[in-house]
PDB file of all heavy atoms in Angstrom:
ATOM      1  N   LEU A   1     128.202 149.427  37.501  1.00 63.00           N
ATOM      2  CA  LEU A   1     127.840 150.266  38.633  1.00 63.00           C
ATOM      3  C   LEU A   1     128.234 149.570  39.948  1.00 63.00           C
ATOM      4  O   LEU A   1     128.081 148.359  40.060  1.00 63.00           O
ATOM      5  CB  LEU A   1     126.339 150.496  38.587  1.00 63.00           C
ATOM      6  CG  LEU A   1     125.731 151.561  39.470  1.00 63.00           C
ATOM      7  CD1 LEU A   1     126.267 152.932  39.070  1.00 63.00           C
ATOM      8  CD2 LEU A   1     124.221 151.541  39.313  1.00 63.00           C
ATOM      9  N   VAL A   2     128.730 150.308  40.911  1.00 60.00           N
ATOM     10  CA  VAL A   2     129.229 149.674  42.148  1.00 60.00           C
ATOM     11  C   VAL A   2     128.136 148.986  42.939  1.00 60.00           C
ATOM     12  O   VAL A   2     128.433 148.155  43.803  1.00 60.00           O
ATOM     13  CB  VAL A   2     129.952 150.672  43.069  1.00 60.00           C
ATOM     14  CG1 VAL A   2     131.227 151.167  42.450  1.00 60.00           C
ATOM     15  CG2 VAL A   2     129.076 151.794  43.494  1.00 60.00           C
ATOM     16  N   THR A   3     126.874 149.250  42.671  1.00 61.00           N
ATOM     17  CA  THR A   3     125.793 148.582  43.414  1.00 61.00           C
ATOM     18  C   THR A   3     125.341 147.299  42.732  1.00 61.00           C
ATOM     19  O   THR A   3     124.418 146.651  43.203  1.00 61.00           O
ATOM     20  CB  THR A   3     124.592 149.520  43.565  1.00 61.00           C
ATOM     21  OG1 THR A   3     124.182 149.941  42.271  1.00 61.00           O
ATOM     22  CG2 THR A   3     124.945 150.724  44.420  1.00 61.00           C
ATOM     23  N   TYR A   4     125.960 146.921  41.645  1.00 61.00           N
ATOM     24  CA  TYR A   4     125.611 145.713  40.937  1.00 61.00           C
ATOM     25  C   TYR A   4     125.869 144.511  41.837  1.00 61.00           C
ATOM     26  O   TYR A   4     126.922 144.394  42.445  1.00 61.00           O
ATOM     27  CB  TYR A   4     126.420 145.618  39.647  1.00 61.00           C
ATOM     28  CG  TYR A   4     125.948 144.584  38.677  1.00 61.00           C
ATOM     29  CD1 TYR A   4     124.849 144.813  37.862  1.00 61.00           C
ATOM     30  CD2 TYR A   4     126.596 143.359  38.572  1.00 61.00           C
ATOM     31  CE1 TYR A   4     124.417 143.857  36.972  1.00 61.00           C
ATOM     32  CE2 TYR A   4     126.171 142.404  37.687  1.00 61.00           C
ATOM     33  CZ  TYR A   4     125.072 142.659  36.882  1.00 61.00           C
ATOM     34  OH  TYR A   4     124.646 141.698  36.013  1.00 61.00           O
ATOM     35  N   ASN A   5     124.929 143.564  41.919  1.00 65.00           N
ATOM     36  CA  ASN A   5     124.985 142.504  42.923  1.00 65.00           C
ATOM     37  C   ASN A   5     125.703 141.235  42.538  1.00 65.00           C
ATOM     38  O   ASN A   5     126.113 140.479  43.394  1.00 65.00           O
ATOM     39  CB  ASN A   5     123.558 142.133  43.360  1.00 65.00           C
ATOM     40  CG  ASN A   5     122.910 143.252  44.114  1.00 65.00           C
ATOM     41  OD1 ASN A   5     123.555 144.014  44.805  1.00 65.00           O
ATOM     42  ND2 ASN A   5     121.598 143.368  43.940  1.00 65.00           N
ATOM     43  N   ASN A   6     125.859 140.934  41.263  1.00 75.00           N
ATOM     44  CA  ASN A   6     126.391 139.644  40.853  1.00 75.00           C
ATOM     45  C   ASN A   6     127.905 139.641  40.636  1.00 75.00           C
ATOM     46  O   ASN A   6     128.417 138.947  39.793  1.00 75.00           O
ATOM     47  CB  ASN A   6     125.703 139.147  39.588  1.00 75.00           C
ATOM     48  CG  ASN A   6     124.257 138.809  39.830  1.00 75.00           C
ATOM     49  OD1 ASN A   6     123.898 138.453  40.946  1.00 75.00           O
ATOM     50  ND2 ASN A   6     123.442 138.945  38.816  1.00 75.00           N
ATOM     51  N   ILE A   7     128.613 140.449  41.397  1.00 82.00           N
ATOM     52  CA  ILE A   7     130.063 140.518  41.261  1.00 82.00           C
ATOM     53  C   ILE A   7     130.688 140.190  42.607  1.00 82.00           C
ATOM     54  O   ILE A   7     130.251 140.680  43.649  1.00 82.00           O
ATOM     55  CB  ILE A   7     130.492 141.910  40.775  1.00 82.00           C
ATOM     56  CG1 ILE A   7     129.876 142.183  39.411  1.00 82.00           C
ATOM     57  CG2 ILE A   7     132.011 142.015  40.730  1.00 82.00           C
ATOM     58  CD1 ILE A   7     130.146 143.538  38.869  1.00 82.00           C
ATOM     59  N   GLY A   8     131.692 139.343  42.587  1.00 85.00           N
ATOM     60  CA  GLY A   8     132.356 138.904  43.827  1.00 85.00           C
ATOM     61  C   GLY A   8     133.541 139.768  44.172  1.00 85.00           C
ATOM     62  O   GLY A   8     133.801 140.812  43.573  1.00 85.00           O
ATOM     63  N   ILE A   9     134.253 139.316  45.166  1.00 85.00           N
ATOM     64  CA  ILE A   9     135.476 139.979  45.596  1.00 85.00           C
ATOM     65  C   ILE A   9     136.546 138.906  45.746  1.00 85.00           C
ATOM     66  O   ILE A   9     136.277 137.780  46.142  1.00 85.00           O
ATOM     67  CB  ILE A   9     135.273 140.774  46.894  1.00 85.00           C
ATOM     68  CG1 ILE A   9     136.480 141.647  47.160  1.00 85.00           C
ATOM     69  CG2 ILE A   9     134.922 139.879  48.050  1.00 85.00           C
ATOM     70  CD1 ILE A   9     136.225 142.781  48.090  1.00 85.00           C
ATOM     71  N   ARG A  10     137.759 139.259  45.379  1.00 86.00           N
ATOM     72  CA  ARG A  10     138.865 138.312  45.441  1.00 86.00           C
ATOM     73  C   ARG A  10     139.971 138.949  46.278  1.00 86.00           C
ATOM     74  O   ARG A  10     140.737 139.779  45.780  1.00 86.00           O
ATOM     75  CB  ARG A  10     139.374 138.030  44.030  1.00 86.00           C
ATOM     76  CG  ARG A  10     140.368 136.917  43.958  1.00 86.00           C
ATOM     77  CD  ARG A  10     140.706 136.652  42.500  1.00 86.00           C
ATOM     78  NE  ARG A  10     141.485 135.446  42.393  1.00 86.00           N
ATOM     79  CZ  ARG A  10     141.861 134.907  41.264  1.00 86.00           C
ATOM     80  NH1 ARG A  10     141.497 135.460  40.121  1.00 86.00           N
ATOM     81  NH2 ARG A  10     142.595 133.830  41.250  1.00 86.00           N
ATOM     82  N   PRO A  11     140.010 138.618  47.543  1.00 85.00           N
ATOM     83  CA  PRO A  11     141.010 139.255  48.429  1.00 85.00           C
ATOM     84  C   PRO A  11     142.434 138.824  48.091  1.00 85.00           C
ATOM     85  O   PRO A  11     142.663 137.735  47.571  1.00 85.00           O
ATOM     86  CB  PRO A  11     140.626 138.790  49.826  1.00 85.00           C
ATOM     87  CG  PRO A  11     139.827 137.568  49.633  1.00 85.00           C
ATOM     88  CD  PRO A  11     139.203 137.659  48.271  1.00 85.00           C
ATOM     89  N   VAL A  12     143.363 139.717  48.372  1.00 85.00           N
ATOM     90  CA  VAL A  12     144.774 139.486  48.136  1.00 85.00           C
ATOM     91  C   VAL A  12     145.498 139.758  49.443  1.00 85.00           C
ATOM     92  O   VAL A  12     145.210 140.733  50.119  1.00 85.00           O
ATOM     93  CB  VAL A  12     145.323 140.424  47.038  1.00 85.00           C
ATOM     94  CG1 VAL A  12     146.816 140.241  46.857  1.00 85.00           C
ATOM     95  CG2 VAL A  12     144.595 140.194  45.736  1.00 85.00           C
ATOM     96  N   ILE A  13     146.429 138.892  49.794  1.00 82.00           N
ATOM     97  CA  ILE A  13     147.206 139.081  51.019  1.00 82.00           C
ATOM     98  C   ILE A  13     148.665 139.269  50.610  1.00 82.00           C
ATOM     99  O   ILE A  13     149.221 138.485  49.860  1.00 82.00           O
ATOM    100  CB  ILE A  13     147.102 137.850  51.931  1.00 82.00           C
ATOM    101  CG1 ILE A  13     145.641 137.645  52.337  1.00 82.00           C
ATOM    102  CG2 ILE A  13     147.980 138.012  53.155  1.00 82.00           C
ATOM    103  CD1 ILE A  13     145.385 136.353  53.095  1.00 82.00           C
ATOM    104  N   SER A  14     149.264 140.363  51.083  1.00 79.00           N
ATOM    105  CA  SER A  14     150.674 140.628  50.798  1.00 79.00           C
ATOM    106  C   SER A  14     151.528 139.985  51.891  1.00 79.00           C
ATOM    107  O   SER A  14     151.276 140.171  53.083  1.00 79.00           O
ATOM    108  CB  SER A  14     150.936 142.135  50.778  1.00 79.00           C
ATOM    109  OG  SER A  14     150.183 142.725  49.771  1.00 79.00           O
ATOM    110  N   LEU A  15     152.509 139.221  51.473  1.00 81.00           N
ATOM    111  CA  LEU A  15     153.400 138.542  52.422  1.00 81.00           C
ATOM    112  C   LEU A  15     154.716 139.295  52.508  1.00 81.00           C
ATOM    113  O   LEU A  15     155.199 139.847  51.523  1.00 81.00           O
ATOM    114  CB  LEU A  15     153.638 137.100  51.969  1.00 81.00           C
ATOM    115  CG  LEU A  15     152.407 136.242  51.807  1.00 81.00           C
ATOM    116  CD1 LEU A  15     152.767 134.894  51.220  1.00 81.00           C
ATOM    117  CD2 LEU A  15     151.674 136.081  53.127  1.00 81.00           C
ATOM    118  N   ARG A  16     155.314 139.276  53.670  1.00 82.00           N
ATOM    119  CA  ARG A  16     156.598 139.946  53.814  1.00 82.00           C
ATOM    120  C   ARG A  16     157.695 139.119  53.119  1.00 82.00           C
ATOM    121  O   ARG A  16     157.536 137.950  52.850  1.00 82.00           O
ATOM    122  CB  ARG A  16     156.927 140.169  55.289  1.00 82.00           C
ATOM    123  CG  ARG A  16     157.244 138.925  56.079  1.00 82.00           C
ATOM    124  CD  ARG A  16     157.633 139.245  57.515  1.00 82.00           C
ATOM    125  NE  ARG A  16     157.972 138.054  58.215  1.00 82.00           N
ATOM    126  CZ  ARG A  16     157.141 137.313  58.911  1.00 82.00           C
ATOM    127  NH1 ARG A  16     155.884 137.688  59.014  1.00 82.00           N
ATOM    128  NH2 ARG A  16     157.526 136.211  59.510  1.00 82.00           N
ATOM    129  N   GLN A  17     158.790 139.769  52.879  1.00 86.00           N
ATOM    130  CA  GLN A  17     159.923 139.131  52.204  1.00 86.00           C
ATOM    131  C   GLN A  17     160.389 137.925  53.017  1.00 86.00           C
ATOM    132  O   GLN A  17     160.439 137.951  54.239  1.00 86.00           O
ATOM    133  CB  GLN A  17     161.068 140.135  52.073  1.00 86.00           C
ATOM    134  CG  GLN A  17     162.212 139.639  51.274  1.00 86.00           C
ATOM    135  CD  GLN A  17     163.266 140.734  51.061  1.00 86.00           C
ATOM    136  OE1 GLN A  17     163.091 141.860  51.480  1.00 86.00           O
ATOM    137  NE2 GLN A  17     164.340 140.371  50.420  1.00 86.00           N
ATOM    138  N   GLY A  18     160.765 136.863  52.334  1.00 88.00           N
ATOM    139  CA  GLY A  18     161.253 135.657  52.989  1.00 88.00           C
ATOM    140  C   GLY A  18     160.207 134.596  53.222  1.00 88.00           C
ATOM    141  O   GLY A  18     160.523 133.457  53.559  1.00 88.00           O
ATOM    142  N   ILE A  19     158.924 134.907  53.018  1.00 88.00           N
ATOM    143  CA  ILE A  19     157.847 133.941  53.162  1.00 88.00           C
ATOM    144  C   ILE A  19     157.724 133.197  51.829  1.00 88.00           C
ATOM    145  O   ILE A  19     157.748 133.792  50.769  1.00 88.00           O
ATOM    146  CB  ILE A  19     156.494 134.643  53.494  1.00 88.00           C
ATOM    147  CG1 ILE A  19     156.595 135.420  54.788  1.00 88.00           C
ATOM    148  CG2 ILE A  19     155.360 133.623  53.523  1.00 88.00           C
ATOM    149  CD1 ILE A  19     156.759 134.555  56.021  1.00 88.00           C
ATOM    150  N   SER A  20     157.593 131.878  51.882  1.00 87.00           N
ATOM    151  CA  SER A  20     157.491 131.122  50.650  1.00 87.00           C
ATOM    152  C   SER A  20     156.325 130.137  50.702  1.00 87.00           C
ATOM    153  O   SER A  20     155.902 129.687  51.760  1.00 87.00           O
ATOM    154  CB  SER A  20     158.792 130.382  50.347  1.00 87.00           C
ATOM    155  OG  SER A  20     159.086 129.468  51.387  1.00 87.00           O
ATOM    156  N   TYR A  21     155.816 129.818  49.533  1.00 85.00           N
ATOM    157  CA  TYR A  21     154.741 128.870  49.347  1.00 85.00           C
ATOM    158  C   TYR A  21     155.282 127.456  49.608  1.00 85.00           C
ATOM    159  O   TYR A  21     156.347 127.098  49.121  1.00 85.00           O
ATOM    160  CB  TYR A  21     154.206 128.995  47.919  1.00 85.00           C
ATOM    161  CG  TYR A  21     153.331 127.862  47.488  1.00 85.00           C
ATOM    162  CD1 TYR A  21     152.003 127.807  47.878  1.00 85.00           C
ATOM    163  CD2 TYR A  21     153.821 126.863  46.690  1.00 85.00           C
ATOM    164  CE1 TYR A  21     151.197 126.768  47.484  1.00 85.00           C
ATOM    165  CE2 TYR A  21     153.017 125.822  46.271  1.00 85.00           C
ATOM    166  CZ  TYR A  21     151.689 125.788  46.677  1.00 85.00           C
ATOM    167  OH  TYR A  21     150.892 124.750  46.282  1.00 85.00           O
ATOM    168  N   LYS A  22     154.533 126.668  50.374  1.00 90.00           N
ATOM    169  CA  LYS A  22     154.968 125.295  50.665  1.00 90.00           C
ATOM    170  C   LYS A  22     154.094 124.276  49.911  1.00 90.00           C
ATOM    171  O   LYS A  22     154.613 123.423  49.215  1.00 90.00           O
ATOM    172  CB  LYS A  22     154.940 125.039  52.159  1.00 90.00           C
ATOM    173  CG  LYS A  22     155.447 123.665  52.540  1.00 90.00           C
ATOM    174  CD  LYS A  22     155.481 123.512  54.051  1.00 90.00           C
ATOM    175  CE  LYS A  22     155.954 122.122  54.420  1.00 90.00           C
ATOM    176  NZ  LYS A  22     155.880 121.894  55.849  1.00 90.00           N
ATOM    177  N   GLU A  23     152.754 124.381  50.094  1.00 91.00           N
ATOM    178  CA  GLU A  23     151.845 123.440  49.418  1.00 91.00           C
ATOM    179  C   GLU A  23     150.412 123.954  49.475  1.00 91.00           C
ATOM    180  O   GLU A  23     150.141 124.962  50.090  1.00 91.00           O
ATOM    181  CB  GLU A  23     151.940 122.054  50.070  1.00 91.00           C
ATOM    182  CG  GLU A  23     151.533 122.030  51.541  1.00 91.00           C
ATOM    183  CD  GLU A  23     151.718 120.680  52.182  1.00 91.00           C
ATOM    184  OE1 GLU A  23     152.822 120.388  52.657  1.00 91.00           O
ATOM    185  OE2 GLU A  23     150.741 119.907  52.190  1.00 91.00           O
ATOM    186  N   GLY A  24     149.493 123.196  48.852  1.00 90.00           N
ATOM    187  CA  GLY A  24     148.086 123.531  48.868  1.00 90.00           C
ATOM    188  C   GLY A  24     147.648 124.206  47.567  1.00 90.00           C
ATOM    189  O   GLY A  24     148.458 124.743  46.832  1.00 90.00           O
ATOM    190  N   ILE A  25     146.322 124.140  47.333  1.00 85.00           N
ATOM    191  CA  ILE A  25     145.775 124.741  46.119  1.00 85.00           C
ATOM    192  C   ILE A  25     144.786 125.864  46.427  1.00 85.00           C
ATOM    193  O   ILE A  25     144.134 126.389  45.527  1.00 85.00           O
ATOM    194  CB  ILE A  25     145.122 123.672  45.205  1.00 85.00           C
ATOM    195  CG1 ILE A  25     143.987 122.949  45.927  1.00 85.00           C
ATOM    196  CG2 ILE A  25     146.157 122.693  44.690  1.00 85.00           C
ATOM    197  CD1 ILE A  25     143.155 122.063  45.019  1.00 85.00           C
ATOM    198  N   GLY A  26     144.628 126.224  47.683  1.00 81.00           N
ATOM    199  CA  GLY A  26     143.774 127.354  48.055  1.00 81.00           C
ATOM    200  C   GLY A  26     142.312 127.030  48.260  1.00 81.00           C
ATOM    201  O   GLY A  26     141.479 127.920  48.294  1.00 81.00           O
ATOM    202  N   THR A  27     141.976 125.763  48.397  1.00 84.00           N
ATOM    203  CA  THR A  27     140.602 125.379  48.671  1.00 84.00           C
ATOM    204  C   THR A  27     140.425 125.113  50.158  1.00 84.00           C
ATOM    205  O   THR A  27     141.402 125.055  50.912  1.00 84.00           O
ATOM    206  CB  THR A  27     140.212 124.094  47.892  1.00 84.00           C
ATOM    207  OG1 THR A  27     141.017 123.016  48.345  1.00 84.00           O
ATOM    208  CG2 THR A  27     140.379 124.301  46.396  1.00 84.00           C
ATOM    209  N   LEU A  28     139.169 124.922  50.572  1.00 89.00           N
ATOM    210  CA  LEU A  28     138.894 124.634  51.980  1.00 89.00           C
ATOM    211  C   LEU A  28     139.555 123.319  52.417  1.00 89.00           C
ATOM    212  O   LEU A  28     140.113 123.210  53.497  1.00 89.00           O
ATOM    213  CB  LEU A  28     137.373 124.572  52.214  1.00 89.00           C
ATOM    214  CG  LEU A  28     136.895 124.461  53.650  1.00 89.00           C
ATOM    215  CD1 LEU A  28     137.416 125.623  54.489  1.00 89.00           C
ATOM    216  CD2 LEU A  28     135.383 124.385  53.708  1.00 89.00           C
ATOM    217  N   SER A  29     139.517 122.318  51.534  1.00 93.00           N
ATOM    218  CA  SER A  29     140.123 121.031  51.878  1.00 93.00           C
ATOM    219  C   SER A  29     141.653 120.984  51.700  1.00 93.00           C
ATOM    220  O   SER A  29     142.327 120.157  52.323  1.00 93.00           O
ATOM    221  CB  SER A  29     139.479 119.900  51.080  1.00 93.00           C
ATOM    222  OG  SER A  29     139.658 120.134  49.708  1.00 93.00           O
ATOM    223  N   GLU A  30     142.182 121.849  50.851  1.00 90.00           N
ATOM    224  CA  GLU A  30     143.634 121.919  50.636  1.00 90.00           C
ATOM    225  C   GLU A  30     144.094 123.387  50.650  1.00 90.00           C
ATOM    226  O   GLU A  30     144.428 123.943  49.612  1.00 90.00           O
ATOM    227  CB  GLU A  30     144.014 121.277  49.304  1.00 90.00           C
ATOM    228  CG  GLU A  30     143.794 119.791  49.229  1.00 90.00           C
ATOM    229  CD  GLU A  30     144.272 119.219  47.896  1.00 90.00           C
ATOM    230  OE1 GLU A  30     145.452 119.388  47.607  1.00 90.00           O
ATOM    231  OE2 GLU A  30     143.438 118.631  47.198  1.00 90.00           O
ATOM    232  N   PRO A  31     144.099 124.008  51.816  1.00 90.00           N
ATOM    233  CA  PRO A  31     144.482 125.430  51.899  1.00 90.00           C
ATOM    234  C   PRO A  31     145.963 125.632  51.575  1.00 90.00           C
ATOM    235  O   PRO A  31     146.771 124.703  51.677  1.00 90.00           O
ATOM    236  CB  PRO A  31     144.187 125.812  53.348  1.00 90.00           C
ATOM    237  CG  PRO A  31     144.295 124.523  54.083  1.00 90.00           C
ATOM    238  CD  PRO A  31     143.818 123.444  53.138  1.00 90.00           C
ATOM    239  N   TYR A  32     146.296 126.861  51.193  1.00 87.00           N
ATOM    240  CA  TYR A  32     147.700 127.183  50.970  1.00 87.00           C
ATOM    241  C   TYR A  32     148.436 127.074  52.312  1.00 87.00           C
ATOM    242  O   TYR A  32     147.920 127.455  53.345  1.00 87.00           O
ATOM    243  CB  TYR A  32     147.865 128.618  50.477  1.00 87.00           C
ATOM    244  CG  TYR A  32     147.346 128.846  49.076  1.00 87.00           C
ATOM    245  CD1 TYR A  32     146.358 129.788  48.842  1.00 87.00           C
ATOM    246  CD2 TYR A  32     147.852 128.128  47.986  1.00 87.00           C
ATOM    247  CE1 TYR A  32     145.873 130.007  47.563  1.00 87.00           C
ATOM    248  CE2 TYR A  32     147.380 128.336  46.713  1.00 87.00           C
ATOM    249  CZ  TYR A  32     146.386 129.285  46.502  1.00 87.00           C
ATOM    250  OH  TYR A  32     145.925 129.498  45.251  1.00 87.00           O
ATOM    251  N   ILE A  33     149.631 126.563  52.259  1.00 90.00           N
ATOM    252  CA  ILE A  33     150.487 126.516  53.422  1.00 90.00           C
ATOM    253  C   ILE A  33     151.765 127.261  53.077  1.00 90.00           C
ATOM    254  O   ILE A  33     152.407 126.972  52.067  1.00 90.00           O
ATOM    255  CB  ILE A  33     150.806 125.069  53.868  1.00 90.00           C
ATOM    256  CG1 ILE A  33     149.500 124.357  54.253  1.00 90.00           C
ATOM    257  CG2 ILE A  33     151.812 125.029  54.985  1.00 90.00           C
ATOM    258  CD1 ILE A  33     149.633 122.921  54.615  1.00 90.00           C
ATOM    259  N   ILE A  34     152.072 128.246  53.882  1.00 87.00           N
ATOM    260  CA  ILE A  34     153.273 129.052  53.659  1.00 87.00           C
ATOM    261  C   ILE A  34     154.218 128.889  54.835  1.00 87.00           C
ATOM    262  O   ILE A  34     153.817 128.504  55.923  1.00 87.00           O
ATOM    263  CB  ILE A  34     152.918 130.536  53.424  1.00 87.00           C
ATOM    264  CG1 ILE A  34     152.126 131.082  54.609  1.00 87.00           C
ATOM    265  CG2 ILE A  34     152.129 130.706  52.148  1.00 87.00           C
ATOM    266  CD1 ILE A  34     151.881 132.527  54.568  1.00 87.00           C
TER     267      ILE A  34
END
């Protein structure tokens, strides 16, 4: 049910063509760098 409380959300960001991943693991201390 959509009102269930113990479920998170995982946002997704779409990047435009030509953007590439450089480094990082996606944490607060090691964010992704593009």
Side-chain angles (χ1 to χ4, degrees):
L1 193 63
V2 294
T3 57
Y4 193 79
N5 293 327
N6 292 333
I7 299 176
I9 190 160
R10 190 175 189 175
V12 176
I13 300 172
S14 299
L15 302 174
R16 70 176 182 269
Q17 186 175 357
I19 301 292
S20 60
Y21 166 80
K22 184 176 178 185
E23 62 184 87
I25 60 170
T27 63
L28 188 58
S29 59
E30 293 183 58
Y32 291 121
I33 298 177
I34 57 173

